[in-house]
Amino acid sequence: MTARYLTVPEAADYLNTSVRFVRRLIAERRIAFHHVGRHVRLRVVDLEEFVQSGRVEPVSAADVRRQLRKVG
């Protein structure tokens, strides 16, 4: 299986964000990237992992009430 690599503008399109946001993720080392010579490339798999790491599960009202009973 071959990995697919994207340029920064392609990664921004893939994530539906700005190029500036992707460059900030790279500068802050919040996403994995590869240097190919002086070019930066991002694997699609790494982009998917980044998106999944930000996933927040939905909470129901019953869950909130249950948690509040534990506190009080």
Side-chain angles (χ1 to χ4, degrees):
M1 185 168 125
T2 60
R4 181 154 184 254
Y5 292 88
L6 303 176
T7 63
V8 173
E10 290 171 339
D13 285 340
Y14 184 83
L15 295 174
N16 197 26
T17 63
S18 67
V19 171
R20 182 178 178 185
F21 177 72
V22 175
R23 290 195 187 281
R24 190 174 73 212
L25 292 175
I26 292 167
E28 294 173 355
R29 304 287 201 255
R30 291 175 49 200
I31 192 165
F33 63 95
H34 302 272
H35 276 281
V36 180
R38 58 183 255 192
H39 303 283
V40 174
R41 298 292 183 259
L42 298 109
R43 288 187 338 171
V44 173
V45 173
D46 294 331
L47 294 173
E48 284 298 326
E49 287 176 6
F50 173 76
V51 170
Q52 289 301 318
S53 70
R55 180 182 166 101
V56 178
E57 294 295 328
V59 179
S60 69
D63 292 335
V64 172
R65 284 191 296 271
R66 195 174 310 118
Q67 290 297 321
L68 288 175
R69 279 189 220 128
K70 289 180 183 178
V71 173

